[in-house]
Amino acid sequence: MDGAELGAQLERIAHEVRSCERCGLHATRTHAVPGAGSAGAEILFIGEGPGFHEDQQGLPFVGRSGEYLSYLLNLIHLRREDVFITNIIKCRAPNNRDPLPHEIEACRPYFDRQLSLIDPLVVATLGRFSMRLFFPGASISRIHGQARIDGGRAYLPLYHPAAALRNPNLRHDMEADIAQLRTLRDEMRQRRAAGEIAAPKHEQKTLF
Ligand code: URA
């Protein structure tokens, strides 16, 4: 698939997300937030769900957490346009409550399709909800920063930027964890180029 077709398919998903009514969150949203960034991204970030500012603007990570995420990306010389950023649930949960299992379930196919199309070398999960998609049953304080390579892709569990903003003690870990991203990406590039590991053919099924 060429870049234009890939972009068109991602835009088709975004279009479906913006008019989605698969769960009750559509009733209270201002804007759905499909995700943003490069269709050819080698690194994909997945957060939890849109907050107030994201709901207002229809874009992921544009509030305080997003500022900190941009700062973290800057530390490793990446720009937001170099990566793809999305969330598990694409509509804001009232009062920023935790996403409910049926909301995650309803929204999951959008993420699966985005992941399959973008086919990044590294998926960086932000916070425990997105971590659980790939590390079921794990505790974020135990496994943050420990990448797992599986099916031609690396998965790196990171703290949520909001957690690091709330608890400055986590910032050192967060910054050390994110510092691995470029090396991890380069390693995955080499391994895929050497044919050591094939790109994933099928995405994982919902683990909730
Ligand atoms: N928190 C998230 O998990 N996602 C966003 O887009 C913003 C804040």
Side-chain angles (χ1 to χ4, degrees), residues 13-197:
I13 298 171
H15 187 75
E16 285 176 45
V17 167
R18 289 187 195 108
S19 55
C20 179
E21 297 189 356
R22 285 189 197 168
C23 80
L25 294 180
H26 78 272
T28 48
R29 74 179 173 222
T30 312
H31 293 106
V33 183
S38 164
E42 292 179 307
I43 300 174
L44 181 150
F45 287 88
I46 174 161
E48 185 176 312
F52 174 82
H53 295 284
E54 291 76 20
D55 174 70
Q56 292 291 306
Q57 296 183 40
L59 291 168
F61 283 96
V62 288
R64 278 193 70 223
S65 294
E67 261 173 44
Y68 185 51
L69 183 59
S70 297
Y71 165 82
L72 292 168
L73 286 172
N74 195 38
L75 288 182
I76 55 168
H77 310 292
L78 288 175
R79 298 162 307 163
R80 289 172 76 112
E81 310 88 87
D82 298 325
V83 301
F84 193 86
I85 305 175
T86 189
N87 285 300
I88 305 186
I89 58 163
K90 314 293 196 204
C91 295
R92 183 180 185 221
N95 303 314
N96 296 341
R97 64 157 167 74
D98 287 347
L100 300 173
H102 78 271
E103 293 162 351
I104 294 174
E105 201 62 48
C107 220
R108 176 74 193 254
Y110 295 124
F111 173 65
D112 287 343
R113 287 163 64 199
Q114 290 173 319
L115 184 60
S116 192
L117 283 170
I118 297 169
D119 188 19
L121 296 171
V122 184
V123 171
T125 62
L126 297 167
R128 66 203 157 97
F129 285 96
S130 55
M131 173 197 69
R132 283 187 201 145
L133 298 182
F134 303 104
F135 301 85
S139 147
I140 196 151
S141 55
R142 292 228 178 91
I143 68 155
H144 69 89
Q146 296 173 37
R148 194 188 76 227
I149 294 177
D150 191 3
R153 185 179 291 147
Y155 298 88
L156 180 68
L158 300 171
Y159 282 118
H160 195 285
L165 288 175
R166 268 194 313 270
N167 178 359
N169 293 330
L170 297 183
R171 285 192 206 166
H172 176 267
D173 282 348
M174 182 89 195
E175 291 169 23
D177 292 348
I178 205 148
Q180 300 180 52
L181 260 182
R182 286 181 77 103
T183 328
L184 204 52
R185 179 203 60 190
D186 294 347
E187 183 190 333
M188 295 309 295
R189 263 189 198 163
Q190 283 167 8
R191 291 174 75 156
R192 272 206 202 175
E196 246 179 75
I197 42 179

